[in-house]
Amino acid sequence: MATEPITREIAGACVNEFGSAIGMPQLCIDWFGNQIFWLIVALVAIYFILSRVALPRIGAVLAERQGTITNDIAAAEDLKVKATEAEAAYDKALIDARAEAQQIIAAAKADIQADLDKAIGKADAEIAAKSAESEKAISEIRASAMENVEAVAKDTAEAIIAAVGGSADAKTISAAVDARMKG
């Protein structure tokens, strides 16, 4: 079977004698009508597929995303308001805690001061009691010392008078010692 050469009348100006296209077949003017028809058919088919199937799905996804974004923004604003309220509550609690701490400190200081005043009062009372005891002991010691001095002075005066060679009775010596001790 031998292949016969194709004539130009059968193939047109776009095909050589062996049936191969000359140059780019898309640019052959003889075939433009056929190419335009199939281009229109393909575009109409793509339009219907896109408008009936793909674009509604894409629109639904975009609407869902927009809804999600809107809900997330609303939730974020709610959380922001709650965070602001929580911060205000925290600040108030902190201020209250500081005030309570100051009250506790003041109460502790007052208790300590009261205990200190009580201890000081007790110490002052003990010191006053010991001082009174000491004053009493000192006055007793003074009184006994004065008695002892008076007795020693009488004995010494009597011994001096006896040593000098005089004689004096105990009544005269006592009167002289008492007068000298009084001033």
Side-chain angles (χ1 to χ4, degrees), residues 76-91:
E77 288 177 4
D78 288 342
L79 291 175
K80 184 179 179 182
V81 168
K82 287 180 182 178
T84 304
E85 291 171 357
E87 183 181 10
Y90 171 75
D91 289 341

Side-chain angles (χ1 to χ4, degrees), residues 54-70:
L55 291 178
R57 289 182 185 172
I58 292 171
V61 168
L62 290 176
E64 183 182 339
R65 281 188 179 178
Q66 185 61 38
T68 303
I69 290 170
T70 304

Side-chain angles (χ1 to χ4, degrees), residues 134-146:
S134 298
E135 288 293 326
K136 183 178 177 185
I138 289 171
S139 64
E140 288 175 2
I141 292 171
R142 277 189 187 155
S144 73
M146 288 303 278

Side-chain angles (χ1 to χ4, degrees), residues 22-37:
I22 301 171
M24 288 184 68
Q26 297 89 345
L27 298 178
C28 183
I29 295 177
D30 291 343
W31 294 345
F32 271 1
N34 194 17
Q35 289 178 2
I36 291 174
F37 171 77

Side-chain angles (χ1 to χ4, degrees), residues 117-138:
D117 290 344
K118 190 176 181 184
I120 289 173
K122 185 177 178 183
D124 286 346
E126 288 177 8
I127 290 171
K130 288 192 180 203
S131 176
E133 286 177 21
S134 298
E135 288 293 326
K136 183 178 177 185
I138 289 171

